[in-house]
mmCIF file with all atom_site columns, all heavy atoms in Angstrom:
data_model
loop_
_atom_site.group_PDB
_atom_site.id
_atom_site.type_symbol
_atom_site.label_atom_id
_atom_site.label_alt_id
_atom_site.label_comp_id
_atom_site.label_asym_id
_atom_site.label_entity_id
_atom_site.label_seq_id
_atom_site.pdbx_PDB_ins_code
_atom_site.Cartn_x
_atom_site.Cartn_y
_atom_site.Cartn_z
_atom_site.occupancy
_atom_site.B_iso_or_equiv
_atom_site.pdbx_formal_charge
_atom_site.auth_seq_id
_atom_site.auth_comp_id
_atom_site.auth_asym_id
_atom_site.auth_atom_id
_atom_site.pdbx_PDB_model_num
ATOM   1  N N   . ASN A 1 226 ? -8.412  3.637  4.884   1.00 96.00 ? 237 ASN A N   1
ATOM   2  C CA  . ASN A 1 226 ? -8.224  2.387  4.138   1.00 96.00 ? 237 ASN A CA  1
ATOM   3  C C   . ASN A 1 226 ? -9.283  1.339  4.458   1.00 96.00 ? 237 ASN A C   1
ATOM   4  O O   . ASN A 1 226 ? -9.609  0.513  3.596   1.00 96.00 ? 237 ASN A O   1
ATOM   5  C CB  . ASN A 1 226 ? -6.811  1.857  4.356   1.00 96.00 ? 237 ASN A CB  1
ATOM   6  C CG  . ASN A 1 226 ? -5.797  2.661  3.530   1.00 96.00 ? 237 ASN A CG  1
ATOM   7  O OD1 . ASN A 1 226 ? -6.158  3.656  2.887   1.00 96.00 ? 237 ASN A OD1 1
ATOM   8  N ND2 . ASN A 1 226 ? -4.560  2.244  3.546   1.00 96.00 ? 237 ASN A ND2 1
ATOM   9  N N   . ARG A 1 229 ? -12.180 2.013  2.201   1.00 97.00 ? 240 ARG A N   1
ATOM   10 C CA  . ARG A 1 229 ? -12.000 1.428  0.862   1.00 97.00 ? 240 ARG A CA  1
ATOM   11 C C   . ARG A 1 229 ? -12.271 -0.083 0.887   1.00 97.00 ? 240 ARG A C   1
ATOM   12 O O   . ARG A 1 229 ? -13.008 -0.618 0.060   1.00 97.00 ? 240 ARG A O   1
ATOM   13 C CB  . ARG A 1 229 ? -10.559 1.646  0.359   1.00 97.00 ? 240 ARG A CB  1
ATOM   14 C CG  . ARG A 1 229 ? -10.377 2.883  -0.437  1.00 97.00 ? 240 ARG A CG  1
ATOM   15 C CD  . ARG A 1 229 ? -8.970  3.027  -0.946  1.00 97.00 ? 240 ARG A CD  1
ATOM   16 N NE  . ARG A 1 229 ? -8.799  2.532  -2.286  1.00 97.00 ? 240 ARG A NE  1
ATOM   17 C CZ  . ARG A 1 229 ? -9.322  3.098  -3.368  1.00 97.00 ? 240 ARG A CZ  1
ATOM   18 N NH1 . ARG A 1 229 ? -10.060 4.172  -3.252  1.00 97.00 ? 240 ARG A NH1 1
ATOM   19 N NH2 . ARG A 1 229 ? -9.120  2.586  -4.552  1.00 97.00 ? 240 ARG A NH2 1
ATOM   20 N N   . THR A 1 268 ? -15.530 -0.724 -7.850  1.00 98.00 ? 279 THR A N   1
ATOM   21 C CA  . THR A 1 268 ? -15.833 -1.793 -8.805  1.00 98.00 ? 279 THR A CA  1
ATOM   22 C C   . THR A 1 268 ? -15.447 -3.153 -8.226  1.00 98.00 ? 279 THR A C   1
ATOM   23 O O   . THR A 1 268 ? -14.439 -3.262 -7.526  1.00 98.00 ? 279 THR A O   1
ATOM   24 C CB  . THR A 1 268 ? -15.046 -1.574 -10.118 1.00 98.00 ? 279 THR A CB  1
ATOM   25 O OG1 . THR A 1 268 ? -13.668 -1.374 -9.797  1.00 98.00 ? 279 THR A OG1 1
ATOM   26 C CG2 . THR A 1 268 ? -15.594 -0.365 -10.866 1.00 98.00 ? 279 THR A CG2 1
ATOM   27 N N   . TYR A 1 340 ? -1.277  -6.591 -8.584  1.00 95.00 ? 351 TYR A N   1
ATOM   28 C CA  . TYR A 1 340 ? -2.489  -6.472 -7.765  1.00 95.00 ? 351 TYR A CA  1
ATOM   29 C C   . TYR A 1 340 ? -3.451  -5.418 -8.268  1.00 95.00 ? 351 TYR A C   1
ATOM   30 O O   . TYR A 1 340 ? -4.624  -5.373 -7.854  1.00 95.00 ? 351 TYR A O   1
ATOM   31 C CB  . TYR A 1 340 ? -2.151  -6.279 -6.286  1.00 95.00 ? 351 TYR A CB  1
ATOM   32 C CG  . TYR A 1 340 ? -1.750  -4.895 -5.839  1.00 95.00 ? 351 TYR A CG  1
ATOM   33 C CD1 . TYR A 1 340 ? -2.673  -3.898 -5.606  1.00 95.00 ? 351 TYR A CD1 1
ATOM   34 C CD2 . TYR A 1 340 ? -0.411  -4.600 -5.616  1.00 95.00 ? 351 TYR A CD2 1
ATOM   35 C CE1 . TYR A 1 340 ? -2.299  -2.637 -5.184  1.00 95.00 ? 351 TYR A CE1 1
ATOM   36 C CE2 . TYR A 1 340 ? -0.028  -3.339 -5.182  1.00 95.00 ? 351 TYR A CE2 1
ATOM   37 C CZ  . TYR A 1 340 ? -0.969  -2.363 -4.980  1.00 95.00 ? 351 TYR A CZ  1
ATOM   38 O OH  . TYR A 1 340 ? -0.583  -1.107 -4.547  1.00 95.00 ? 351 TYR A OH  1
HETATM 39 N N1  . LIG B 2 .   ? -9.918  -2.617 -5.944  1.00 96.72 ? 516 LIG B N1  1
HETATM 40 C C1  . LIG B 2 .   ? -11.154 -3.152 -6.319  1.00 96.72 ? 516 LIG B C1  1
HETATM 41 N N2  . LIG B 2 .   ? -12.187 -2.298 -6.539  1.00 96.72 ? 516 LIG B N2  1
HETATM 42 C C2  . LIG B 2 .   ? -12.052 -0.934 -6.408  1.00 96.72 ? 516 LIG B C2  1
HETATM 43 C C3  . LIG B 2 .   ? -10.787 -0.416 -6.028  1.00 96.72 ? 516 LIG B C3  1
HETATM 44 C C4  . LIG B 2 .   ? -9.745  -1.278 -5.802  1.00 96.72 ? 516 LIG B C4  1
HETATM 45 O O1  . LIG B 2 .   ? -11.303 -4.369 -6.450  1.00 96.72 ? 516 LIG B O1  1
HETATM 46 O O2  . LIG B 2 .   ? -13.027 -0.218 -6.636  1.00 96.72 ? 516 LIG B O2  1
HETATM 47 C C5  . LIG B 2 .   ? -8.817  -3.523 -5.679  1.00 96.72 ? 516 LIG B C5  1
HETATM 48 C C6  . LIG B 2 .   ? -7.618  -3.299 -6.558  1.00 96.72 ? 516 LIG B C6  1
HETATM 49 O O3  . LIG B 2 .   ? -7.705  -4.070 -7.735  1.00 96.72 ? 516 LIG B O3  1
HETATM 50 C C7  . LIG B 2 .   ? -6.474  -3.767 -5.663  1.00 96.72 ? 516 LIG B C7  1
HETATM 51 C C8  . LIG B 2 .   ? -6.952  -3.424 -4.266  1.00 96.72 ? 516 LIG B C8  1
HETATM 52 O O4  . LIG B 2 .   ? -8.382  -3.264 -4.361  1.00 96.72 ? 516 LIG B O4  1
HETATM 53 O O5  . LIG B 2 .   ? -6.291  -5.147 -5.769  1.00 96.72 ? 516 LIG B O5  1
HETATM 54 C C9  . LIG B 2 .   ? -6.338  -2.142 -3.696  1.00 96.72 ? 516 LIG B C9  1
HETATM 55 O O6  . LIG B 2 .   ? -6.518  -1.168 -4.670  1.00 96.72 ? 516 LIG B O6  1
HETATM 56 P P1  . LIG B 2 .   ? -6.308  0.425  -4.352  1.00 96.72 ? 516 LIG B P1  1
HETATM 57 O O7  . LIG B 2 .   ? -6.809  1.180  -5.524  1.00 96.72 ? 516 LIG B O7  1
HETATM 58 O O8  . LIG B 2 .   ? -6.860  0.750  -3.030  1.00 96.72 ? 516 LIG B O8  1
HETATM 59 O O9  . LIG B 2 .   ? -4.747  0.587  -4.421  1.00 96.72 ? 516 LIG B O9  1
HETATM 60 P P2  . LIG B 2 .   ? -3.664  0.572  -3.301  1.00 96.72 ? 516 LIG B P2  1
HETATM 61 O O10 . LIG B 2 .   ? -3.598  -0.692 -2.538  1.00 96.72 ? 516 LIG B O10 1
HETATM 62 O O11 . LIG B 2 .   ? -2.416  0.998  -3.987  1.00 96.72 ? 516 LIG B O11 1
HETATM 63 O O12 . LIG B 2 .   ? -4.173  1.677  -2.286  1.00 96.72 ? 516 LIG B O12 1
HETATM 64 C C10 . LIG B 2 .   ? -3.484  2.879  -2.182  1.00 96.72 ? 516 LIG B C10 1
HETATM 65 C C11 . LIG B 2 .   ? -3.737  3.323  -0.785  1.00 96.72 ? 516 LIG B C11 1
HETATM 66 N N3  . LIG B 2 .   ? -2.787  4.339  -0.443  1.00 96.72 ? 516 LIG B N3  1
HETATM 67 C C12 . LIG B 2 .   ? -2.268  4.325  0.798   1.00 96.72 ? 516 LIG B C12 1
HETATM 68 O O13 . LIG B 2 .   ? -2.586  3.522  1.636   1.00 96.72 ? 516 LIG B O13 1
HETATM 69 C C13 . LIG B 2 .   ? -1.292  5.350  1.101   1.00 96.72 ? 516 LIG B C13 1
HETATM 70 C C14 . LIG B 2 .   ? -5.138  3.881  -0.635  1.00 96.72 ? 516 LIG B C14 1
HETATM 71 O O14 . LIG B 2 .   ? -5.264  4.583  0.620   1.00 96.72 ? 516 LIG B O14 1
HETATM 72 C C15 . LIG B 2 .   ? -5.469  4.816  -1.716  1.00 96.72 ? 516 LIG B C15 1
HETATM 73 O O15 . LIG B 2 .   ? -6.802  5.298  -1.531  1.00 96.72 ? 516 LIG B O15 1
HETATM 74 C C16 . LIG B 2 .   ? -5.371  4.077  -3.023  1.00 96.72 ? 516 LIG B C16 1
HETATM 75 O O16 . LIG B 2 .   ? -3.968  3.775  -3.155  1.00 96.72 ? 516 LIG B O16 1
HETATM 76 C C17 . LIG B 2 .   ? -5.832  4.932  -4.190  1.00 96.72 ? 516 LIG B C17 1
HETATM 77 O O17 . LIG B 2 .   ? -6.621  5.868  -3.950  1.00 96.72 ? 516 LIG B O17 1
HETATM 78 O O18 . LIG B 2 .   ? -5.470  4.578  -5.299  1.00 96.72 ? 516 LIG B O18 1
#
Side-chain angles (χ1 to χ4, degrees):
N237 284 5
R240 268 182 95 69
T279 51
Y351 80 79

